[in-house]
Amino acid sequence: MGGNDLKERAILIGIDGFLYNDVDFKFLWSEFDELVKAAGAEPVARVVQIRANPDPALFLGSGKAEELKMLVRETRADLIISLQDLSPVQVRNLEDLTGVRILDRTGLILDIFAQRAKTKEGKIQVELAQLNYLLPRLSGGLGKELSRLGGGIGTRGPGETKLEVDRRRIRRRIADLRRGIKAIELHRSVQRRRRQKFGIPTVSLVGYTNAGKSTLFNRLTNAGVSAARRLFDTLDPVSRRILIAEHQEIILMDTVGFIRDLPHQLVAAFKATLEETARATLLIQVLDGANPEIMEQYLAVREVLKELDLLDAEIITVLNKADLIEPGPVLDRICKEWDAIPISALTSAGIDDLLNELRNRLTKNVRSCRLMIPFTDAGLLDILHRKARVLEEDFTETGIKLLVEMEQPLLNQFQKFLVK
Ligand SMILES: Nc1nc2c(ncn2[C@@H]2O[C@H](COP(=O)(O)OP(=O)(O)OP(=O)(O)O)[C@@H](O)[C@H]2O)c(=O)[nH]1
Ligand SMILES: [Mg+2]
């Protein structure tokens, strides 16, 4: 996609009245608009039909579909994007009827991810998700469906040459990519073990896309990670070590933004990335306090956390963009309701409160104590170095004297070595 003047013109279509209640649907549409813009297209018109189920052949009813055809001409639209996922048959029929390209929400999100992926890892994950999306849409083993569905906004999507390959080659490519992802997972587990060895807790920033995670990440780390007013700006997880107290180091992680109904192909492909989040000691959930749809976004984030089996994780909630909210009883009530700390990643307001809370939570169960480990039990040192924080270590004639900080459950195991 070229400059702004070359923006592709998109007609958005969707069905109301089955699946969603009114409020959700309003949210879905405004989010859909944002997604279309994020992909670099311009929404020029909307066709919404209220019906119980989509038409199996045309998605819309035949009258609405005719209307759509006229609208394509009137608005000189380049493509049609559907809020609900489409079957290959619906895509083919709509395309034949209107003469323009058809995309659905899942394809659209994959397209945005393809535009944003920067690292090798991100690219592999996105390509895998795209191919898994395309594969079941290949019918008859020919590349025809691929070429129809493959092109996203502009010319991205799996490269043009790939559009001619058949299922077998795609399967082979998928196998290659899976191997690539295995290698990534391995690399991650090595990194993770190293961190565990040093006993450094990991803190992940999670939240809806555009909530301000990267801005907060930068505020806390001075890392200069890109933050922008666009959806899914961050795709590749970034992490930095930071000191939050004299002896307290943490690894802070910025993550990909969540969204309602994240396509499952993406969840699968980004599993390694998301699991990294899942293994964090603590999560900071970032809410966009200035967004009127904060409730829906909150629920969407909870949904993804649930999918990742993370609802019981230790979570600190922050209400970001507090600089855009009038201070006073309203803000106070919101924060109380969400049990959230008001902050502004932009102006730094409330950041100290957040750091305090972080320190409290991370040291909640930590006790410091002196131990004397006889040489016969020296094997236990390894556990201490991995799971506790060793502040002092002296090799004496009778054994090893240590000053350590560790969590209560671990301390229980070391009761008999405690020095009063
Ligand atoms: N006014 C105000 N704007 C903020 C604040 N924090 C972030 N923003 C803006 O919100 C936009 C999104 O910020 P990002 O940090 O990129 O959001 P993100 O959560 O990382 O988004 P993704 O990477 O897409 O998931 C940017 O334009 C930021 O400048 C804040 O505290 N106040
Ligand atoms: Mg970001």
Side-chain angles (χ1 to χ4, degrees), residues 102-347:
I102 315 288
L103 201 65
D104 60 21
R105 182 178 181 273
T106 298
L108 178 72
I109 293 174
L110 290 174
D111 195 51
I112 299 171
F113 272 66
Q115 291 177 51
R116 304 282 199 262
K118 285 184 218 95
T119 61
K120 187 165 156 244
E121 168 179 354
K123 285 181 178 147
I124 290 177
Q125 288 168 320
V126 173
E127 190 181 348
L128 182 64
Q130 284 183 312
L131 293 178
N132 276 320
Y133 168 72
L134 291 175
L135 198 58
R137 287 168 172 76
L138 276 173
S139 60
L142 286 172
K144 193 160 185 246
E145 306 306 332
L146 245 194
S147 66
R148 287 168 182 275
L149 272 157
I153 312 275
T155 52
R156 284 165 316 271
E160 211 63 49
T161 52
K162 279 194 222 88
L163 300 185
E164 275 101 55
V165 302
D166 61 11
R167 270 171 195 262
R168 241 178 60 212
R169 295 213 15 219
I170 290 181
R171 288 233 169 81
R172 212 174 301 148
R173 180 75 188 146
I174 287 179
D176 280 350
L177 293 171
R178 289 223 169 99
R179 268 193 291 280
I181 286 189
K182 274 262 156 27
I184 293 166
E185 277 166 6
L186 195 69
H187 175 65
R188 282 185 186 287
S189 72
V190 170
Q191 282 182 321
R192 193 161 49 234
R193 237 172 289 139
R194 191 172 305 149
R195 281 203 301 270
Q196 279 165 355
K197 190 166 169 209
F198 292 112
I200 308 171
T202 328
V203 176
S204 269
L205 297 170
V206 298
Y208 213 77
T209 180
N210 211 45
K213 297 178 294 299
S214 297
T215 311
L216 179 58
F217 183 83
N218 288 336
R219 177 61 63 199
L220 294 170
T221 63
N222 302 315
V225 166
S226 130
R229 218 208 82 65
R230 56 178 207 174
L231 302 185
F232 299 119
D233 188 58
T234 308
L235 264 199
D236 309 301
V238 220
S239 56
R240 290 278 188 291
R241 277 185 190 211
I242 55 169
L243 220 51
I244 58 168
E246 201 180 340
H247 281 294
Q248 177 75 71
E249 213 179 9
I250 63 163
I251 290 170
L252 188 70
M253 243 184 312
D254 188 13
T255 66
V256 56
F258 295 171
I259 187 174
R260 185 198 169 96
D261 299 330
L262 200 62
H264 63 90
Q265 293 92 341
L266 273 177
V267 175
F270 278 76
K271 212 153 183 264
T273 307
L274 293 169
E275 270 175 356
E276 196 64 11
T277 306
R279 290 205 173 86
T281 322
L282 188 148
L283 306 178
I284 298 180
Q285 179 179 6
V286 184
L287 296 173
D288 180 348
N291 196 308
E293 272 143 6
I294 182 169
M295 185 67 192
E296 285 82 357
Q297 298 197 342
Y298 175 84
L299 292 175
V301 170
R302 303 298 289 189
E303 221 174 89
V304 180
L305 289 180
K306 191 169 145 200
E307 225 165 287
L308 296 171
D309 221 6
L310 269 179
L311 279 188
D312 307 325
E314 180 109 16
I315 299 180
I316 295 177
T317 306
V318 297
L319 190 81
N320 191 33
K321 309 198 186 180
D323 57 296
L324 298 176
I325 316 167
E326 203 72 45
V330 178
L331 178 62
D332 295 346
R333 208 194 52 230
I334 296 175
C335 287
K336 209 164 165 205
E337 224 163 86
W338 299 92
D339 190 20
I341 305 169
I343 64 158
S344 168
L346 204 64
T347 68

Side-chain angles (χ1 to χ4, degrees), residues 9-11 68-69 71-73 75-81 91-103 148:
R9 302 161 63 78
I11 296 181
L68 179 64
K69 181 180 170 182
L71 201 59
V72 166
R73 256 186 243 137
T75 59
R76 286 171 292 109
D78 302 293
L79 79 163
I80 293 167
I81 314 177
V91 170
R92 184 167 47 235
N93 290 340
L94 279 175
E95 204 166 73
D96 286 345
L97 179 76
T98 61
V100 294
R101 255 179 319 129
I102 315 288
L103 201 65
R148 287 168 182 275

